[in-house]
Amino acid sequence: MTSAPVRVAMLGCGTVGTGVLALLADNREAITAKAGRPIAVGPIVVRDLEKERQAIVPRALLTRRFEDALEADVVVEVMGGTTPARGWILQALAAGRPVVTANKDVMADHGVEVAAAARAGGVDVFFEAAVGGGIPIIRSLKESLAGTRVRRIAGILNGTTNYILTRMSEAGTELRQAVAEAQAAGFAEADPRADLDGLDAARKLAILSSIAFSARVLPSDVAVEGIGGLSPHDIRNGQRFGWVCKLLAIAEQAGGGRISLRVHPAFVEGSHPLAAVRDSYNAIYLQGDAIGDAMFYGRGAGSLPTASAVMGDLIEAVRFLGQPARGLQAAEGRPALLPPGESVSRFYLRLQALDRPGVLAQVAAVLGRYDVNIHSVLQTPEGERSAELIVRTHPVRESSITNALTELGRLEAVAGVRACIRLQPDGL
Ligand code: NAP
Ligand code: HSE
């Protein structure tokens, strides 16, 4: 065993990069033993040399020049975004440097290109931190579960929105305040709209689905609805029925060789394990032929949990440095997708309607016309002439519910369709 340190360049030194430095400092002895060699970080490429940073960041190692990073043996990319991260990752791989990245934007949209560059460079690329923060889900899916045919993935894949929904549900916190708290804690993306609009979860779902279904799934394949339209009122209504509101990322076999991919808020039964996933925690609930049900749970965002995944990858990269690459198997065939309108769900609908004879019958007639089977209705008077109608449906096609809601919105007796939230999928 050689004791010469391995030089590790870091691209970015924000929330995750600082966590990597802290973890290395805290666990240096164990990390050295596991990697087989000491790890020396540097150079560290950042955008702003003057910025105030935590004391653990060695200012002398900071640079703005990416080219300096190619002097190192391994490159860790923790800067985020697509440009310049994608180009720098490709250049590092082309120069024969193994790359460890936490970048789901690049891996989700350009994973095939990255895998090809790694093959051409004769090195490996590692991306455990790109999905689920500290949860070891990538390696589990790629290796430990390789023999299982995955039927469904239902994940809480975004720590920021899960934190926000927890605060809204449990403390009645307003959305904007909860977003600010998630940003201060370092969970949110540089542009938090990626979290709120469900795009971050869609990217992670695309990465997981590509591995699970051996196909090249892109974020644009995922039907996405974020949490921006949720109101505290509906979250409270759900609680009255024993439900917890979560942003679910779902990928499932839909018959005929097609897969359904979607990210949307959903009410989950309070007794389901996913309902207990609070704050910035993530969970990936897998259903497969051999394994049955399995849930992977842990901190999905934050400095040290994410650094833990980066460090695991880095240790592996160092252990196998100089040995033939094992090669990232990135499937290139495109999947057959179930059109979003054909996806089947149960729904919670909230309408504001006039409180007068015959209104309920009109609403039921419209729903019936579009094949929407009503499970139950709860009517609550609101003042003298208005009522809140909560309709819960049996499973129905998305296209049917969309058409029914459009027609309901046109009824003179309906002041508005205030909410349409899916319920937990059957069989989950
Ligand atoms: P961050 O706190 O915003 O840090 C980004 C770092 O990258 C900063 O040090 C920044 O430099 C540097 N950087 C950005 N653009 C650059 C450019 N054009 N040239 C040079 N340096 C540049 O981000 P983060 O939260 O650590 O996230 C990093 C990556 O990890 C992202 O891909 C993110 O999606 C992923 N991730 C984050 C978490 C989390 O909980 N935060 C969890 C899992 C995965 P300055 O310091 O000079 O501004
Ligand atoms: N913004 C992301 C989240 C970071 O909140 O889950 C972890 O990928």
Side-chain angles (χ1 to χ4, degrees):
M1 184 179 93
T2 170
S3 60
V6 173
R7 281 190 70 190
V8 175
M10 215 159 65
L11 311 181
C13 194
T15 302
V16 180
T18 306
V20 170
L21 295 175
L23 195 57
L24 191 56
D26 287 350
N27 298 346
R28 186 173 294 279
E29 212 173 305
I31 289 170
T32 304
K34 286 176 184 166
R37 292 169 64 179
I39 289 173
V41 173
I44 301 173
V45 183
V46 293
R47 192 169 28 194
D48 178 1
L49 293 175
E50 308 306 321
K51 190 169 167 178
E52 205 171 305
R53 296 180 193 272
Q54 292 184 31
I56 190 142
V57 178
R59 297 197 76 91
L61 297 179
L62 299 182
T63 174
R64 285 174 50 95
R65 288 168 39 88
F66 163 70
E67 296 68 30
D68 296 349
L70 296 179
E71 302 295 319
D73 304 300
V74 180
V75 172
V76 171
E77 185 275 314
V78 281
M79 54 192 284
T82 302
T83 307
R86 168 177 157 266
W88 289 0
I89 289 171
L90 294 176
Q91 284 184 59
L93 293 169
R97 304 293 183 272
V99 169
V100 173
T101 178
N103 196 319
K104 56 253 168 174
D105 307 37
V106 170
M107 292 312 294
D109 279 313
H110 307 284
V112 169
E113 184 185 24
V114 169
R119 270 196 303 278
V123 287
D124 281 311
V125 57
F126 304 84
F127 53 101
E128 185 64 68
V131 182
I135 306 172
I137 184 61
I138 300 285
R139 212 171 257 105
S140 301
L141 263 182
K142 273 201 313 198
E143 296 172 12
S144 313
L145 292 166
T148 280
R149 186 169 179 272
V150 175
R151 189 164 54 78
R152 178 188 276 148
I153 299 169
I156 294 172
L157 298 181
N158 183 266
T160 300
T161 44
N162 203 46
Y163 176 84
I164 292 168
L165 290 176
T166 306
R167 297 286 291 149
M168 286 172 75
S169 306
E170 297 181 6
T173 309
E174 286 299 321
L175 182 86
R176 202 181 313 175
Q177 165 68 19
V179 173
E181 289 176 15
Q183 284 178 302
F187 308 145
E189 293 303 299
D191 178 354
R193 279 175 303 184
D195 299 296
L196 301 177
D197 295 347
L199 303 176
D200 178 78
R203 288 178 182 128
K204 292 166 177 170
L205 187 68
I207 294 173
L208 294 183
S209 308
S210 296
I211 300 170
F213 301 123
S214 301
R216 185 184 170 207
V217 177
L218 295 169
S220 53
D221 295 332
V222 183
V224 186
E225 185 184 317
I227 66 164
L230 288 175
S231 80
H233 182 70
D234 291 303
I235 292 175
R236 274 195 304 276
N237 276 347
Q239 286 171 328
R240 286 164 56 200
F241 298 123
W243 303 333
V244 181
C245 191
K246 295 291 175 195
L247 183 69
L248 289 189
I250 299 170
E252 61 192 5
Q253 304 273 7
R258 297 183 299 177
I259 54 174
S260 170
L261 299 160
R262 49 196 202 271
V263 169
H264 54 67
F267 281 126
V268 175
E269 298 286 349
S271 57
H272 193 280
L274 285 172
V277 178
R278 298 171 60 257
D279 292 331
S280 67
Y281 280 84
N282 281 194
I284 298 99
Y285 198 94
L286 283 180
Q287 296 179 301
D289 62 352
I291 193 158
D293 290 14
M295 187 163 105
F296 296 76
Y297 167 81
R299 286 197 185 276
S303 182
L304 284 175
T306 311
S308 165
V310 170
M311 191 57 75
D313 280 350
L314 179 55
I315 288 171
E316 192 169 343
V318 171
R319 279 179 59 214
F320 292 98
L321 200 60
Q323 298 187 25
R326 279 149 303 153
L328 172 62
Q329 303 299 319
E332 297 191 15
R334 297 278 291 137
L337 300 174
L338 184 78
E342 288 184 35
S343 164
V344 172
S345 299
R346 295 175 296 141
F347 287 86
Y348 154 102
L349 310 175
R350 177 165 64 87
L351 314 179
Q352 200 185 350
L354 293 182
D355 193 359
R356 69 176 190 212
V359 171
L360 205 50
Q362 285 180 42
V363 169
V366 170
L367 291 174
R369 213 164 24 252
Y370 289 98
D371 225 17
V372 181
N373 190 3
I374 296 173
H375 173 281
S376 52
V377 179
L378 179 68
Q379 175 171 334
T380 311
E382 282 180 334
E384 292 278 296
R385 295 170 176 203
S386 176
E388 174 180 276
L389 284 184
I390 295 175
V391 179
R392 186 176 158 185
T393 77
H394 284 290
V396 57
R397 276 184 174 217
E398 300 253 340
S399 54
S400 300
I401 212 82
T402 307
N403 292 334
L405 292 186
T406 306
E407 193 164 330
L408 283 175
R410 290 196 198 115
L411 288 181
E412 179 260 332
V414 173
V417 178
R418 303 295 184 220
C420 170
I421 301 174
R422 293 163 189 81
L423 304 185
Q424 167 186 329
D426 277 345
L428 178 65

